[in-house]
Amino acid sequence: MNDVELFAAPVFELGPVAITSTVITTWGIMILTWLCAALFSYRIRLSPGAAQTALEGIVSAMETAIANVAPQHTQKLLPFIGSLWIFLVLANLSGLIPGVHSPTRDISATAALAILVFFSTHWFGIREQGLKNYLRHYLRPSPILLPFHIISELTRTVALAVRLFGNMMSLEMAAMLILLVAGFLVPVPILMLHIIEALVQAYIFGMLALIYVAGGLQSQTLRQRKKQGDSHA
Amino acid sequence: MELNWSTFVLEIVNFLVLIWILQRFIYKPVLKIITQRRAEIEKQSADAQCLHEDATNLKKQYQNRLNDWDQERQLARDNLNKEIENERIRQLDELQRERVQEREKIKTAEERRYIETVREIEHQALRQGAQFAARLLNIASGPELETRLISLLIEELNALAPHKVSLLQEHWGEAPGSITVCSVYPISEGQKKLLETALAKTIGQTLPVNYTQEPELVAGLRITIGAWVLQTNVRDELKGFEEFARVAR
């Protein structure tokens, strides 16, 4: 159990760019997703079959989950949040394939996703409210809280990356340790746990991302509603 | 544990590309098809709602029409019942009137028949009585009866009131030449004298009297004095009975 096993090592290099197994697995997931999606979009019909019904169910479930948090921005958030859920489920579950490591056990991948969530929060917030209004919410309720807001933004992004990375890496390590200690078929229950953990972690990451982005989108809206409520009172 | 910047950047790019792929091949088509389906469902729902409203309106119209029909039917039935009742009452009245008329007719016919029967019985009784009396007189007639009848005649003539005698003499007309006395049996001399005396007293003069015999008289006399005929015999009495019976019929 060395660094190579714990962390993704470069498989090959394209000039200055080192291609790790994480990237290759991600590409595999992307190709698989693209093929399935292309096939699906080619065969999509108004009267759905079983596969189309399942996929529509998944999309509708994601849409409903987003609508429960940010009902006014469902269509806007669905591509980003939905893609997070789909990618994370596939990435987390890819660790079950023998010889393939889950991309999410690489801190570089989870950090990349967390950074995307970080920038997406500000991107959606600024697009919705404007730069001035968006930045103003860091000064509320008091400008004194600005440093805390900034620390909060950074730490929650780091926590987002580290939580997913830590859970997935520890899961793989636990399975590997049990395999080394106990034998060939003993880690099977752990693999079952892997499936549940993969789904749960994907859901948590996506839901947190959704809450952060929705928070950035709706901070101004909530403030305006509060003002209106106070004036009516 | 250190961050691999190449992986970091590539993962960002990969994820952005994945978002595009999913947006291009999954989200847009699925949301589009869901939207189309929702639109289709809403259209069908709206059509169904329209159909439902049309059906409700039709049902309401039909219900109203049924109610109108029911009312018209009830009205027609009431009118018909009223007409039937009136017709029944009219026919009953007519029947009652006819029955009363019929009863009256029957009563009248019965009364007429009763009267006829009573009259027939009376007539029959009279006829039988006349026949019986004729037969009885035929059987019982004889010289004694004739003698008695002559005596009665003489008594009657002698007992005539003077004004009656004068009334007879006034209606006498032309004075007769003789008096004819018909009898069934020969009259005794004593009775002849008494009779001639009574006749002379009655007519106020003495005329010759011719005595003849006529057995058809059964018993009694027939006295002819000119145009005046005095009947005191059984045959004439029986004829009188017959006349009475004919008149009574």
Side-chain angles (χ1 to χ4, degrees), chain B residues 38-56:
Chain B
R38 278 178 184 161
E40 188 73 21
I41 289 169
E42 284 174 3
K43 184 175 173 296
Q44 288 181 357
S45 178
D47 291 345
Q49 186 65 29
C50 286
L51 285 173
H52 179 71
E53 287 175 1
D54 290 346
T56 305

Side-chain angles (χ1 to χ4, degrees), chain A residues 29-112:
Chain A
I29 290 169
M30 286 171 63
I31 290 167
L32 183 68
T33 307
W34 176 67
L35 286 175
C36 292
L39 186 65
F40 167 77
S41 67
Y42 176 71
R43 298 179 60 179
I44 193 166
R45 297 285 183 276
L46 199 60
S47 302
Q52 185 179 334
T53 303
L55 195 62
E56 285 182 9
I58 291 168
V59 173
S60 295
M62 291 191 300
E63 195 178 17
T64 306
I66 295 167
N68 288 336
V69 179
Q72 297 170 345
H73 310 286
T74 308
Q75 298 302 318
K76 203 180 293 178
L77 298 180
L78 178 64
F80 179 65
I81 303 298
S83 300
L84 269 179
W85 270 323
I86 290 172
F87 174 70
L88 287 174
V89 165
L90 293 175
N92 291 347
L93 290 177
S94 65
L96 292 171
I97 301 169
V100 176
H101 290 294
S102 170
T104 48
R105 65 153 212 168
D106 188 344
I107 187 69
S108 303
T110 57

Side-chain angles (χ1 to χ4, degrees), chain B residues 185-202:
Chain B
Y185 303 101
I187 304 171
S188 65
E189 288 300 324
Q191 280 188 325
K192 281 182 180 177
K193 281 183 180 178
L194 289 173
L195 181 62
E196 287 171 3
T197 304
L199 286 171
K201 186 183 174 186
T202 302

Side-chain angles (χ1 to χ4, degrees), chain B:
Chain B
M1 183 179 68
E2 61 181 23
L3 205 60
N4 186 325
W5 291 105
S6 301
T7 304
F8 179 79
V9 173
L10 284 173
E11 281 298 322
I12 290 173
V13 173
N14 287 344
F15 188 72
L16 292 176
V17 172
L18 185 68
I19 289 174
W20 180 84
I21 290 170
L22 290 174
Q23 173 75 356
R24 168 72 178 78
F25 294 106
I26 297 289
Y27 301 135
K28 275 187 179 176
V30 168
L31 291 177
K32 187 179 173 185
I33 207 78
I34 287 173
T35 306
Q36 284 179 1
R37 193 175 297 131
R38 278 178 184 161
E40 188 73 21
I41 289 169
E42 284 174 3
K43 184 175 173 296
Q44 288 181 357
S45 178
D47 291 345
Q49 186 65 29
C50 286
L51 285 173
H52 179 71
E53 287 175 1
D54 290 346
T56 305
N57 290 333
L58 283 174
K59 185 181 175 185
K60 201 178 289 179
Q61 287 179 3
Y62 177 70
Q63 196 68 36
N64 289 335
R65 202 172 295 167
L66 270 182
N67 290 336
D68 291 344
W69 286 347
D70 282 345
Q71 288 178 355
E72 288 178 7
R73 190 179 59 184
Q74 189 62 36
L75 191 63
R77 188 179 291 168
D78 290 345
N79 289 335
L80 184 63
N81 286 336
K82 202 178 287 179
E83 286 178 6
I84 289 172
E85 184 64 21
N86 291 336
E87 183 66 19
R88 192 178 70 86
I89 291 170
R90 192 187 65 76
Q91 288 189 359
L92 272 177
D93 289 346
E94 192 174 345
L95 191 64
Q96 189 73 20
R97 198 164 52 250
E98 285 178 359
R99 200 175 66 171
V100 169
Q101 287 177 354
E102 190 68 25
R103 194 178 293 165
E104 289 293 329
K105 280 182 185 175
I106 290 170
K107 189 178 174 185
T108 306
E110 285 289 329
E111 285 176 354
R112 193 177 297 163
R113 192 159 52 245
Y114 177 73
I115 291 168
E116 286 292 326
T117 306
V118 168
R119 191 177 295 166
E120 184 66 26
I121 290 168
E122 285 176 351
H123 177 255
Q124 194 173 355
L126 283 173
R127 196 170 63 237
Q128 285 180 352
Q131 288 174 355
F132 176 75
R135 192 174 298 164
L136 184 65
L137 287 172
N138 276 327
I139 294 168
S141 63
E144 297 84 11
L145 180 60
E146 191 174 79
T147 303
R148 178 66 184 152
L149 287 173
I150 292 168
S151 298
L152 281 173
L153 176 63
I154 292 166
E155 287 175 6
E156 286 287 330
L157 288 174
N158 289 329
L160 278 174
H163 69 277
K164 286 187 178 178
V165 172
S166 61
L167 191 65
L168 280 172
Q169 289 173 359
E170 283 175 7
H171 289 85
W172 202 263
E174 191 180 343
S178 61
I179 296 170
T180 302
V181 176
C182 291
S183 64
V184 178
Y185 303 101
I187 304 171
S188 65
E189 288 300 324
Q191 280 188 325
K192 281 182 180 177
K193 281 183 180 178
L194 289 173
L195 181 62
E196 287 171 3
T197 304
L199 286 171
K201 186 183 174 186
T202 302
I203 61 177
Q205 58 185 325
T206 304
L207 293 174
V209 179
N210 298 320
Y211 290 96
T212 59
Q213 289 184 340
E214 195 171 338
E216 289 81 11
L217 295 179
V218 181
L221 301 174
R222 185 178 66 214
I223 299 169
T224 307
I225 306 170
W228 188 67
V229 178
L230 183 60
Q231 305 279 4
T232 313
N233 57 72
V234 172
R235 193 192 66 177
D236 289 334
E237 288 300 322
L238 290 177
K239 276 186 180 177
F241 281 154
E242 286 179 2
E243 284 296 325
F244 174 73
R246 192 164 56 247
V247 170
R249 186 183 297 176

